[in-house]
Amino acid sequence: MPDRGSSGLFNRLSWPKLARWLLLPPAAVAAGFLFAEKEPGFRTLDGVSVIRTSLHKINRSLKSDRPEMQVTVRVNPVPVALPTTMPEPRPEPAAEPVAAAMPGIAPVAVGPLAGFYRGLREIDTGTRARPVTILHLGDSHIAADRFSGDLRSLFQARFGNAGRGMMMPGFPFPYYRAQGVEFSKTGAWTASNSFRNDSGPYGVTGVRLTTRQGGATLSLTSEDGPFEWAEATFLTGAGMGAATVSVGQATETTSTAGKDGSLRRVRIERKGSKMTVTARGDGPVSVLSWAIGYERPGVRYVSFGIPGATAETTRRWDDALLAADIERLNPDLVILGFGTNEGFNDGLNLSTYSQRVTELMGRISAAAPQVSFLIIGPGDSARLPRFAGGSRRDLPCRDLDDSERANYTTLLRSRSPKLARWHPPAKLGEVRHALKEIAQSQGAMFWDWSRAMGGPCGIQDWVRSQPALAAGDYVHITAEGARRSARMLFTAIMAGYSPLDRLAAK
């Protein structure tokens, strides 16, 4: 339980002072704890340590009574200096209202993230033994585990590290990464990818690795210390072969022959630093996912990003496999990060697109009725037509006017000089608006990433910033941009979860 000694925040606040704090908007209270000013014009992530030392003295000795997918991940928040030339993002409104606190009565979070906030409060009060799980689905913005990995670090620094959990089986594409682990393989493995229309079925990872070669291996090594258990998930089917899962000297061999399109999970409760899957060679073996972890309360942040993915990609995920994976993960919050690729599709049908996103939310909710949703409106991006002359870096960026937007396809096809500049694609704003409407209709939180970047053509400021926050393609963000984006989203989420919410619950 939190220390209520003389150094505690509770005893240092008189009731008159506390009452004045309670009148502050949740966003203002959260911001005061999240950021600490270090130098004029610069901010750092040191606010995380401020929260931990001032508010986070919680007894974490509870042990989970339920197996969860976790992994030890070292959390070392690194201060990020932001250039003074970059405009500060417009402040986001509080994600959730919090009912006013009365002495001895815990305020109750309401709105889209209420369930997620309840889980966080249980961690803060030491009444939860199992993790609060966040599942982040998206495209190339999280494929290298940058944006998602930075969010993981922020949440785990604030609420405790409950592990890495479920991951793609490695190597579905050359740039897939997962922070805190290293992948290796031997032998011939074939990668199937739901974005490329490769034949299924697929679970929530959207990928599959298959081998027919006896002795072929996949290995996962923890870079952040030993784990307590390991698990591999295989696809079953007629004529499928056997595989061995090993952690050190502990091994378990299973046949993956069985009903077509079902799952077989192999779990080894053994402390170790390396997990290996070995095909026996008596038939094909397909790996859908694997996981390592340990038991402790905190936040577990699971992310799956496929470059080029759209909401349409998820329709190729098998209903039964997706439901089984969602039930296994048991997420408290699902973050949907699609929309960038759709925004560059000039022929996109907005009505069909909205239907696809809503369907995905329904499939997830059916397997996890308690889940909260957060929809990310795609970040700002820009297009430069091939017929535009001059230096790519020197050409200006300007949003489309009403006439250009109404005649966009015609102007592009005619190579109109009006479009010979960087500009947001015509559909990008429409996708963002559609996602906001979906969030409102489905009771989800919406975060406008583009607005946080400065609005239309804010991407050019990010590209020209020193250090660069976005790549020269005017679409993808750099490692620095990912850290900044993660901090802004974390702040927006935490704006609805006031530290005083926890204080009044004591």
Side-chain angles (χ1 to χ4, degrees):
M1 297 297 291
D3 179 5
R4 294 195 180 189
S6 60
S7 62
L9 177 62
F10 189 93
N11 286 337
R12 281 186 281 133
L13 285 178
S14 65
W15 277 112
K17 290 182 179 179
L18 181 58
R20 288 198 298 271
W21 277 44
L22 293 173
L23 295 176
L24 290 175
V29 175
F33 282 90
L34 288 174
F35 296 110
E37 199 73 29
K38 292 298 181 181
E39 296 178 13
F42 287 85
R43 288 180 175 178
T44 75
L45 296 180
D46 287 351
V48 171
S49 62
V50 171
I51 293 174
R52 296 183 70 185
T53 57
S54 298
L55 293 174
H56 206 51
K57 299 176 181 177
I58 296 172
N59 181 352
R60 300 196 180 280
S61 61
L62 295 175
K63 295 296 182 180
S64 176
D65 58 359
R66 171 178 176 174
E68 296 290 332
M69 296 182 183
Q70 307 157 9
V71 59
T72 304
V73 176
R74 181 175 60 250
V75 179
N76 294 311
V78 178
V80 180
L82 299 179
T84 55
T85 57
M86 282 297 299
E88 285 294 317
R90 304 176 195 175
E92 290 287 333
E96 309 292 333
V98 179
M102 297 295 291
I105 300 177
V108 178
V110 295
L113 299 190
F116 176 60
Y117 288 154
R118 281 195 295 271
L120 297 181
R121 184 189 300 173
E122 289 169 356
I123 291 177
D124 267 345
T125 57
T127 60
R128 185 178 180 118
R130 65 184 179 87
V132 167
T133 300
I134 300 172
L135 172 62
H136 191 161
L137 303 175
D139 47 31
S140 57
H141 290 303
I142 64 170
D145 204 20
R146 281 180 175 173
F147 187 14
S148 53
D150 296 323
L151 281 165
R152 182 183 301 110
S153 295
L154 289 168
F155 273 107
Q156 292 181 343
R158 170 63 178 82
F159 294 100
N161 182 352
R164 187 59 178 80
M166 186 185 292
M167 291 166 279
M168 290 181 181
F171 307 105
F173 6 80
Y175 28 82
Y176 170 65
R177 298 288 185 272
Q179 289 188 9
V181 299
E182 180 181 346
F183 301 134
S184 61
K185 69 180 178 70
T186 65
W189 292 84
T190 300
S192 299
N193 179 343
S194 56
F195 168 68
R196 293 194 309 237
N197 281 321
D198 295 340
S199 61
Y202 301 98
V204 72
T205 66
V207 300
R208 186 179 68 253
L209 287 185
T210 303
T211 187
R212 294 176 176 271
Q213 181 180 341
T217 65
L218 295 176
S219 294
L220 183 158
T221 303
S222 172
E223 298 178 326
D224 298 306
F227 47 82
E228 294 179 353
W229 56 262
E231 183 175 271
T233 301
F234 301 94
L235 180 68
T236 66
M240 300 292 280
T244 298
V245 180
S246 61
V247 177
Q249 298 301 312
T251 64
E252 183 174 338
T253 299
T254 185
S255 171
T256 64
K259 179 182 176 181
D260 287 345
S262 293
L263 298 179
R264 185 154 300 156
R265 302 188 197 274
V266 176
R267 184 183 179 96
I268 295 181
E269 302 281 351
R270 178 67 175 264
K271 188 174 183 178
S273 296
K274 185 176 182 179
M275 166 194 184
T276 300
V277 175
T278 305
R280 308 301 294 178
D282 55 350
V285 170
S286 292
V287 182
L288 296 177
S289 67
W290 51 9
I292 56 176
Y294 43 77
E295 305 300 334
R296 66 177 61 174
V299 169
R300 179 181 61 186
Y301 199 110
V302 177
S303 59
F304 301 120
I306 300 178
T310 66
E312 186 73 23
T313 303
T314 66
R315 298 191 73 209
R316 304 181 193 111
W317 300 354
D318 180 80
D319 285 339
L321 299 186
L322 175 63
D325 282 339
I326 294 297
E327 290 174 2
R328 190 69 163 181
L329 288 168
N330 192 27
D332 297 271
L333 173 65
V334 170
I335 300 176
L336 300 180
F338 302 105
T340 296
N341 295 298
E342 292 94 326
F344 278 78
N345 178 5
D346 297 326
L348 181 71
N349 184 304
L350 267 298
S351 177
T352 301
Y353 173 66
S354 296
Q355 182 180 347
R356 296 293 179 260
V357 176
T358 304
E359 287 174 352
L360 174 61
M361 296 175 71
R363 295 166 74 191
I364 294 173
S365 295
Q370 81 294 340
V371 73
S372 300
F373 283 97
L374 188 159
I375 298 177
I376 298 177
D380 188 53
S381 300
R383 164 188 283 165
L384 180 66
R386 294 181 179 179
F387 57 80
S391 168
R392 289 174 58 87
R393 184 172 180 82
D394 294 336
L395 285 171
C397 182
R398 189 175 70 255
D399 196 11
L400 300 172
D401 61 32
D402 291 342
S403 175
E404 291 170 336
R405 189 171 287 105
N407 300 284
Y408 188 70
T409 302
T410 301
L411 292 173
L412 271 183
R413 290 176 178 173
S414 65
R415 302 167 64 90
S416 170
K418 292 183 178 180
L419 297 184
R421 67 180 194 273
W422 290 103
H423 59 270
K427 288 289 185 180
L428 189 60
E430 296 180 22
V431 166
R432 198 174 291 118
H433 180 71
L435 289 173
K436 184 176 182 179
E437 289 189 333
I438 292 170
Q440 292 173 343
S441 66
Q442 298 300 312
M445 176 184 169
F446 178 78
W447 184 64
D448 190 338
W449 192 6
S450 174
R451 182 173 181 266
M453 294 173 67
C457 286
I459 187 70
Q460 187 162 71
D461 291 332
W462 279 46
V463 171
R464 294 177 175 179
S465 172
Q466 293 297 327
L469 301 177
D473 63 1
Y474 279 58
V475 175
H476 295 96
I477 55 177
T478 64
E480 289 293 327
R483 281 190 281 271
R484 177 169 182 152
S485 299
R487 190 184 69 182
M488 291 189 292
L489 178 52
F490 180 73
T491 303
I493 294 173
M494 292 302 295
Y497 183 78
S498 167
L500 294 181
D501 187 29
R502 177 175 65 87
L503 181 63
K506 300 296 179 288

